[in-house]
């Protein structure tokens, strides 16, 4: 039986982990994965398909997303040699952990935060130390600085997930000053908040910034992200990417969106506006708290338990994320901001549950 041989074939770091899964309930309204609720307009899709029609399909794509790196470099006034492209920022993070971590190395991250930092680090046999947030989900600065000083890698999601809170750049700066390791600033949601750490790249050789096209840029289906860092770091981490990892349609989509910044800005503005309006309405309900957020999602408390709230919403056609198993999140669910129509439906169901 193959089951008896698995232990000899697969590393213990993998055997000891659970498979990363998401809830795939089929509901009309999907507010569980922090995707953009706004798809590309049909006229922009048609323009993009013309680009794709002229793309050569029988040849490998350009190596390392070369032209997209150049375009991003112009946007941020950087060198293309400071940028690497991945299938989503997750692949960039995976390449970073592959390039840097050996068994027993220490990795520091906030708690609660995005689960992938721990998962990918443990793949490499790293030891995880967590800097726990306080009960208002704020960073305990001395604790973070002390623990990051021991770490080879420190992950800071900014804004953080699942809390939605934005850290002042001064905190990132202080951490980078106090550690000899690398500081990875995951800016997946930075388009909703501002306050990027990109200006620190020139000052700190140990800062890496990761970003994605999946959230504000409405491109989750294509899988496209990138990392920004010192060019010497980029050269080494690129070695841990597979050759030709960025397919031509994804690279073209990135190019195309960078030429449609007006649409992106309108999308971001609409989502932020909906977030604020929905939070105000929910916070006016007795026993309900929508936590302040600088992202396209927020944590939500109701008088019901998270599991009951999750189930009742699902029964009414709305899928959210039950994060009550996360540290400090025992009372909350996480809700992605939807369209105006979806948010109106969510508010109505929450009101009926009270």
């Amino acid at each position: 039986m193959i089951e008896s041989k698995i232990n000899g074939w697969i590393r213990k770091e993998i055997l000891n982990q659970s498979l990363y899964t998401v809830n795939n309930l089929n509901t009309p309204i999907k507010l569980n994965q922090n995707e953009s609720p706004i798809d590309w307009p049909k006229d922009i899709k048609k323009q993009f398909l013309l680009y794709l029609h002229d793309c050569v399909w029988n040849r490998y794509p350009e190596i390392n997303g070369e032209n997209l790196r150049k375009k991003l470099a112009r946007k941020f006034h950087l060198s293309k040699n400071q940028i690497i492209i991945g299938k989503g920022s997750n692949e960039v993070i995976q390449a970073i952990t592959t390039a840097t971590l050996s068994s027993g190395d220490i990795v520091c991250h906030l708690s609660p935060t995005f689960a992938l930092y721990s998962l990918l680090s443990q793949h490499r046999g790293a030891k995880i130390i967590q800097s726990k947030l306080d009960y208002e989900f704020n960073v305990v600065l001395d604790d973070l600085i002390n623990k990051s000083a021991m770490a080879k890698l420190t992950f800071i999601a900014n804004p953080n997930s699942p809390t939605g809170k934005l850290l002042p750049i001064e905190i990132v700066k202080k951490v980078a000053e106090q550690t000899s390791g690398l500081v990875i600033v995951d800016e997946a949601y930075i388009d909703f908040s501002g306050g990027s750490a990109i200006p620190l790249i020139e000052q700190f050789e140990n800062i890496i910034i990761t970003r994605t096209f999946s959230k504000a840029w409405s491109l989750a289906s294509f899988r496209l992200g990138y990392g920004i860092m010192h060019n010497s770091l980029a050269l080494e981490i690129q070695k841990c990417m597979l050759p030709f990892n960025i397919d031509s349609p994804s690279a073209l989509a990135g190019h195309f969106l960078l030429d449609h910044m007006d649409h992106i800005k309108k999308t971001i503005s609409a989502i932020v506006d909906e977030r604020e309006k929905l939070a105000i309405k929910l916070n006016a309900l007795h026993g309900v708290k929508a936590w302040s957020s600088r992202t396209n999602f927020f944590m939500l408390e109701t008088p019901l338990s998270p599991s009951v709230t999750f189930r009742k919403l699902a029964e009414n056609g709305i899928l959210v994320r039950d994060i009550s198993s996360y540290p400090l999140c025992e009372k909350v669910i996480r809700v992605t901001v939807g369209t105006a129509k979806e948010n109106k439906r969510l508010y109505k169901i929450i009101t009926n549950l009270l």
Side-chain angles (χ1 to χ4, degrees), residues 12-239:
K12 69 179 188 310
E13 291 88 354
I14 307 302
L15 290 170
N16 291 338
Q17 285 193 341
S18 299
L19 186 67
Y20 187 93
T21 60
V22 294
N23 196 317
N24 287 321
L25 286 176
N26 187 17
T27 57
I29 299 176
K30 189 172 181 289
L31 305 178
N32 67 320
Q33 286 189 275
N34 301 344
E35 301 148 317
S36 171
I38 302 172
D39 199 0
W40 296 10
K42 288 185 178 180
D43 61 328
I44 293 183
K45 284 186 176 182
K46 287 179 180 178
Q47 293 175 45
F48 171 71
L49 289 175
L50 291 176
Y51 276 66
L52 193 57
H53 181 271
D54 293 333
C55 176
V56 176
W57 290 22
N58 63 313
R59 303 295 184 188
Y60 286 108
E62 61 183 12
I63 191 86
N64 303 335
E66 180 76 6
N67 284 310
L68 183 56
R69 287 165 59 213
K70 290 179 181 178
K71 200 161 192 173
L72 286 166
R74 289 194 295 271
K75 173 179 171 60
F76 294 115
H77 307 290
L78 300 167
S79 162
K80 71 178 178 67
N81 295 326
Q82 293 178 270
I83 298 172
I84 62 175
I85 309 291
K87 298 295 289 182
S89 55
N90 288 353
E91 188 183 39
V92 177
I93 293 169
Q94 183 180 48
I96 293 167
T97 58
T98 301
T100 60
L101 294 178
S102 300
S103 182
D105 283 340
I106 294 175
V107 171
C108 173
H109 63 67
L110 301 174
S111 178
T113 196
F114 185 36
L116 200 73
Y117 310 144
S118 178
L119 186 148
L120 291 177
S121 298
Q122 288 173 336
H123 281 181
R124 306 297 305 164
K127 177 183 177 182
I128 307 299
I129 55 174
Q130 300 179 352
S131 179
K132 291 187 177 181
L133 304 178
D134 67 20
Y135 286 99
E136 291 294 314
F137 299 103
N138 295 311
V139 167
V140 181
L141 183 56
D142 288 345
D143 184 69
L144 176 59
I145 287 176
N146 290 337
K147 288 177 176 175
S148 64
M150 299 185 285
K152 191 169 188 180
L153 298 183
T154 297
F155 286 97
I156 300 175
N158 201 32
N160 191 24
S161 175
T163 67
K165 290 213 169 189
L166 179 71
L167 277 66
I169 288 302
E170 281 302 310
I171 290 181
V172 176
K173 185 176 179 180
K174 287 179 180 178
V175 172
E177 287 173 339
Q178 297 298 321
T179 181
S180 60
L182 293 172
V183 179
I184 295 88
V185 185
D186 183 356
E187 294 189 343
Y189 302 98
I190 201 70
D191 295 294
F192 299 107
S193 66
S196 174
I198 287 178
L200 298 181
I201 289 287
E202 295 303 314
Q203 183 180 355
F204 294 95
E205 297 175 346
N206 62 334
I207 289 180
I208 297 175
I209 293 169
T210 61
R211 286 190 166 193
T212 181
F213 282 83
S214 296
K215 308 301 182 182
W217 295 64
S218 303
L219 202 65
S221 182
F222 278 71
R223 311 305 298 127
L224 190 66
Y226 54 98
I228 300 173
M229 65 204 78
H230 190 279
N231 60 298
S232 296
L233 268 176
L235 176 64
E236 300 306 321
I237 292 170
Q238 183 67 57
K239 295 175 184 178

